[in-house]
Amino acid sequence: VSTNRSSTTVDISEGPTTKHNGQLVLLGSRCRACSTYEFPPQTSCARCGSKMDATPLPTVGSVWSWTVQRTRPKRLRSEEFEPFAVGYVDLGPLKVATRLSGRPAAEWRIGQPVELATPSAGDTTAPPYWFQPADGSSSISRGNS
Amino acid sequence: MNVSVVGVGLHPFGRFDISGREMGLIAARAAMADAGFVWSDVQFAAGGSRDSGRADALVSELGLTGVPFVTVYNGCGTGGSALLTAAQAIESGAAEIALAVGFDKHERGAFGSDPVLYGLPEWYAEAGLMVTTQFFALKLQRYLHEYDLDPRLLAEIVAKSLRNGARTPHAWRRNALSVDEIANADMVNDPLTKYMFCSPSEGGAAIVLASAARAKQLSERAVKLRAVEFRTRKFGTFEVFSPWLAEEITEGPTTHAARAAFEAAGIGPDDIDVAQIQDTEAGAELMHLAESGFCAHGDQAKLILDGELEIGGRIPVNTDGGLIANGEPIGASGLRQVIECVWQLQGRAGDRQVPGNPTTAFTQVYGAPGLSACTVLSR
């Protein structure tokens, strides 16, 4: 997938990630006029209405807010449910909503450094992406804790 | 605005054995009786419901008079939209008497939302990220961090709402709880415990409006609707169902709607004697107090801990227990806030009456995906 394909061909139903330099990254969009970033990609900018181009998003950032989802969301894909942490991760030009893994759910704090993670090929139960500790303290590479 | 409230009607909020539609009819008839009108007097109507059918279909039982009846839906702000639509019909001269009505009856448990209706991808919901209670917690967690506020304030807010609810005959939750019971209850979405959220419920509410000139002839107790202002979100706000947020967070729709309402009314937050503020959860009341202009961001602790928000305090808020004690029938909720203010201004609020003959009131309702409607009322 080319990240500079025409913005009019972006289909958000493809999922939140795309291959970039051999790695799965989040696919967002950037406004040609005002440089606003959005996620998932839109064809026109929420700020100024100009055209947007699809673009890969940064893969590291910090926790901007967090909470624990302690009840099963009605539309959760996975049948199994254990409480999980969610949050917004500040990636610089924007913040993205995400699951947070790799640390006990109630022990996340604002400001902690995190990095993007994606499920291994064929894993259909994991969320399509999540963020995990980027300071080397993560004890697991994938999980919903 | 040259519009007055001349009649109000409310079907109690809670859980009942009748349909949401029937509650809407009961509320509409009560409002017309309160105004001394019959249905054929009404020249324009607007109303909404999320789960109980089309508001305009009420005409089949109210009477097929040919009245223009606009059905509205703006999430939790639906009541505000109905009131705005009816008020503008009068302000424009299209009608002299108008009805705003809302009703609902929801399933138990948190609202489930379809991502497609919000222009969002399926994976966002399937990953467990499209959850209203989660949004409230994420927004609040950031707010408490930025302004260094104690989460215990949330339990104080709920304790106040439940105390007020205990004095309110139409409220659903009428048992007071202690601050400790609320703070130490099961956590739902940190930092919000189960008692800190309102629940979907059932009820109906209706308001009859008249032109100010007509109202003067009709009733000595008519209440002036000095302003009703509705705003959707601007770029950069932090709203429900947002897969992303902007680099810089900007003022939300309540700030803009409240400011516009006060400007249109020609008075400010300091002049208000009683207010109903959207408290979908305790943090919403905390944040909306500042967004509405009743204090600076981060200064809520003084209002809450000094009792200024209590009935008898400087600025009583959610005198009927708000959404915390009444639950939320979406179509009716925003109208209930206005009705409570009308009763307070008319001295008809019973055990929860604000002392000192209040003369001015304010309401604020917030809905997904980022809209707010505010009113200013006075005797």
Side-chain angles (χ1 to χ4, degrees), chain A residues 12-123:
Chain A
I12 58 172
S13 68
E14 288 173 14
T17 56
T18 189
K19 264 262 165 57
H20 179 67
N21 293 338
Q23 288 226 309
L24 277 177
V25 298
L26 296 181
L27 183 68
S29 56
R30 181 174 182 272
C31 178
R32 289 180 190 177
C34 73
S35 301
T36 289
Y37 278 74
E38 299 183 13
F39 171 74
Q42 290 200 158
T43 54
S44 64
C45 176
R47 183 182 188 184
C48 74
S50 302
K51 281 195 171 171
M52 301 194 94
D53 296 312
T55 185
L57 299 180
T59 59
V60 295
S62 60
V63 174
W64 188 77
S65 189
W66 68 277
T67 187
V68 181
Q69 184 60 39
R70 294 174 188 270
T71 56
R72 187 181 183 281
K74 284 182 177 168
R75 288 174 180 262
L76 189 69
R77 185 171 178 199
S78 167
E79 288 294 320
E80 289 171 27
F81 173 74
E82 284 289 325
F84 54 79
V86 297
Y88 282 96
V89 168
D90 191 345
L91 297 177
L94 82 170
K95 308 163 201 12
V96 297
T98 183
R99 299 269 286 261
L100 297 168
S101 293
R103 172 173 280 144
E107 292 180 16
W108 286 92
R109 297 293 176 267
I110 288 170
Q112 288 171 333
V114 287
E115 63 186 13
L116 181 71
T118 53
S120 47
D123 186 343

Side-chain angles (χ1 to χ4, degrees), chain B residues 84-136:
Chain B
L84 174 80
T85 307
Q88 288 185 339
I90 291 176
E91 185 77 348
S92 73
E96 276 202 317
I97 310 289
L99 175 81
V101 60
F103 51 94
D104 248 317
K105 185 182 184 87
H106 305 299
E107 287 177 16
R108 283 156 214 277
F111 292 111
S113 296
D114 182 351
V116 173
L117 296 180
Y118 290 88
L120 294 166
E122 286 286 350
W123 64 256
Y124 177 62
E126 290 177 359
L129 298 173
M130 192 177 182
V131 182
T132 50
T133 58
Q134 193 184 101
F135 153 73
F136 294 127

